[in-house]
Amino acid sequence: DADVTQTPRNRITKTGKRIMLECSQTKGHDRMYWYRQDPGLGLRLIYYSFDVKDINKGEISDGYSVSRQAQAKFSLSLESAIPNQTALYFCATSPGLTYGYTFGSGTRLTVV
Amino acid sequence: GENVEQHPSTLSVQEGDSAVIKCTYSDSASNYFPWYKQELGKRPQLIIDIRSNVGEKKDQRIAVTLNKTAKHFSLHITETQPEDSAVYFCAARGGSNYQLIWGAGTKLIIKP
């Protein structure tokens, strides 16, 4: 399913480096989300956006920033990566409040 | 704050038997309850959802039931098959910002 595309799929970076994860979608959804998944901890919301001019912090936004460049594009940045940001990152989109999310394939990030 | 508790964390059933996963939510204003399946190394995918004006919904071998009074909802899988092995996440939409609140996940193991 290429509706929600995340790049890169895998990335290894060094502590202190800035890194950007990108998400693009062809579903035409206004709502976009960034989640982090750690083993045994489920999905935790980092940031979400309801439209280009609307950006909101999730439960674990410290150390992250986002940019909504267009309706179809939502990027996540780690300004200065640290090892405990090693995780699987998912982008997701949704058409509305009572509709499910479509997730991207994920980016596996390792900070060494 | 709002939370969703999911039980059990691991469930092992014999192929052909039924599996039931239960989630309890805290926000009585929650009105949308999706279930996601995540196979190893893949993205979470929506398998079924239910809105608060409905008590039960079925789709072939899977069903979801909702008890608003008790604030819990359950996923039922009948005639389990090896391909049902995965991690299942429940979620509830509610709270002050109407975001999905996620359960911690249930690892379902289907024994041959």
Side-chain angles (χ1 to χ4, degrees), chain A:
Chain A
D1 187 342
D3 288 343
V4 183
T5 302
Q6 290 184 235
T7 56
R9 292 295 307 274
N10 293 281
R11 179 73 181 267
I12 301 173
T13 192
K14 293 184 177 180
T15 298
K17 292 291 187 181
R18 184 179 188 275
I19 183 169
M20 178 181 288
L21 310 183
E22 299 189 351
C23 177
S24 63
Q25 52 116 346
T26 59
K27 298 189 75 68
H29 294 168
D30 287 326
R31 298 165 187 263
M32 297 187 74
Y33 307 82
W34 274 105
Y35 280 92
R36 168 178 172 160
Q37 187 174 40
D38 298 276
L41 291 180
L43 292 158
R44 292 187 290 170
L45 182 63
I46 307 172
Y47 271 96
Y48 62 102
S49 169
F50 286 170
D51 64 41
V52 175
K53 296 182 180 179
D54 177 77
I55 303 289
N56 303 279
K57 292 182 177 180
E59 59 184 297
I60 56 161
S61 59
D62 287 349
Y64 302 95
S65 63
V66 291
S67 173
R68 184 82 183 264
Q69 302 95 324
Q71 188 214 33
K73 295 183 182 295
F74 193 34
S75 300
L76 176 72
S77 294
L78 287 67
E79 297 300 327
S80 179
I82 56 177
N84 76 0
Q85 291 178 314
T86 293
L88 183 57
Y89 291 85
F90 285 106
C91 173
T93 74
S94 172
L97 280 178
T98 57
Y99 294 87
Y101 294 177
T102 299
F103 284 85
S105 296
T107 294
R108 187 168 297 281
L109 177 65
T110 303
V111 183
V112 298

Side-chain angles (χ1 to χ4, degrees), chain B residues 48-95:
Chain B
I48 196 166
D49 58 10
I50 192 167
R51 292 170 176 79
S52 58
N53 59 345
V54 176
E56 183 176 4
K57 184 177 179 180
K58 287 184 178 180
D59 183 2
Q60 299 184 332
R61 294 186 299 108
I62 61 172
V64 56
T65 57
L66 172 64
N67 183 327
K68 291 173 59 180
T69 301
K71 292 192 285 187
H72 66 72
F73 57 110
S74 299
L75 178 70
H76 305 254
I77 306 174
T78 59
E79 301 174 2
T80 53
Q81 301 171 2
E83 54 265 36
D84 295 328
S85 293
V87 177
Y88 291 80
F89 292 97
C90 66
R93 184 180 301 284

